[in-house]
Every structure is written in structure tokens, then in C-alpha cells.
């Protein structure tokens, strides 16, 4: 029985792929313990991170100063409040004297 050319080529390709897989699996088996050891070292290593927050603190301080400057009570409101409070206090004293002292 004659071999077909495509069958021969297919057999060569399969043989080549099997050899490549053998080499790859042997490389993986060699590198596997080293990778496992490195992963274990990484798991046991404590990470320390230092973050420079000086710029963030200055930005927060600027925003805080801006908000404080915009949320202050105006002096005209304080003056108006004390005037109304004074008028109500005088009126209360007058009414107290009018009702109970008379």
C-alpha cells in the first residue's frame, strides 16, 4: 500500500509537535520548583509602602481654607440678629411689666 504524501507530512508534523511538547514539559518540570519557591518567598515577604502625602495635605489645607472663607457668618447678619434680639428682649420686659406688675 502506497503512503499518501499528505499522510507522511501529517506524521512528520505530529512527530515534531510531540517532541516540542516533551521539551516544553521537561522545561516546565525543571522550572516548576524554582517558581514555587519564588512564589513562597513572595508570600512570606512583607510589603512596605511609603507614600508622600505632603502635596495632598497642602491641597486639603487649601480647600479647607477656601471652605472656611466661604462659610463664615457675615457681620451684617450678626448685627441684625442682635438688634432683633434686643428689640424682642425689650418687648418681653415691657410686656412682663405691663401684665404682672400693674
Amino acid at each position: 500500500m502506497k503512503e499518501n504524501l499528505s499522510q507522511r507530512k501529517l506524521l512528520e508534523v505530529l512527530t515534531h509537535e510531540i517532541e516540542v511538547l516533551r521539551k516544553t514539559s521537561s522545561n516546565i518540570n525543571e522550572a516548576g520548583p524554582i517558581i514555587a519557591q519564588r512564589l513562597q518567598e513572595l508570600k512570606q515577604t512583607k510589603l512596605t509602602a511609603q507614600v508622600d502625602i505632603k502635596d495632598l495635605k497642602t491641597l486639603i489645607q487649601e480647600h479647607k481654607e477656601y471652605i472656611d472663607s466661604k462659610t463664615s457668618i457675615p457681620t451684617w447678619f450678626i448685627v441684625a440678629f442682635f438688634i432683633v434680639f434686643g428689640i424682642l428682649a425689650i418687648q418681653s420686659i415691657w410686656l412682663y411689666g405691663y401684665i404682672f406688675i400693674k
Side-chain angles (χ1 to χ4, degrees):
M1 175 175 293
K2 289 186 175 182
E3 284 189 39
N4 195 352
L5 183 61
S6 63
Q7 289 176 344
R8 187 179 312 145
K9 189 64 177 173
L10 179 62
L11 183 62
E12 289 175 9
V13 168
L14 286 174
T15 308
H16 176 69
E17 289 299 321
I18 289 171
E19 288 300 318
V20 169
L21 283 173
R22 281 184 189 157
K23 289 179 184 177
T24 304
S25 63
S26 68
N27 289 341
I28 289 173
N29 289 335
E30 290 174 7
I34 297 171
I35 292 172
Q37 180 185 3
R38 298 283 169 84
L39 283 174
Q40 191 64 26
E41 289 175 4
L42 283 174
K43 286 180 184 178
Q44 293 175 353
T45 303
K46 292 184 179 181
L47 295 178
T48 57
Q50 293 179 339
V51 180
D52 184 19
I53 58 171
K54 185 190 302 182
D55 295 334
L56 182 63
K57 283 185 177 180
T58 57
L59 183 66
I60 289 172
Q61 185 65 29
E62 289 173 3
H63 283 290
K64 184 178 177 183
E65 290 171 0
Y66 175 76
I67 289 172
D68 288 342
S69 70
K70 296 299 180 184
T71 58
S72 63
I73 299 174
T75 55
W76 65 266
F77 181 78
I78 294 173
V79 170
F81 175 78
F82 282 117
I83 289 173
V84 170
F85 184 77
I87 291 171
L88 288 175
I90 292 171
Q91 185 181 11
S92 296
I93 293 170
W94 179 76
L95 282 173
Y96 180 79
Y98 184 74
I99 293 174
F100 292 111
I101 295 181
K102 237 182 179 181

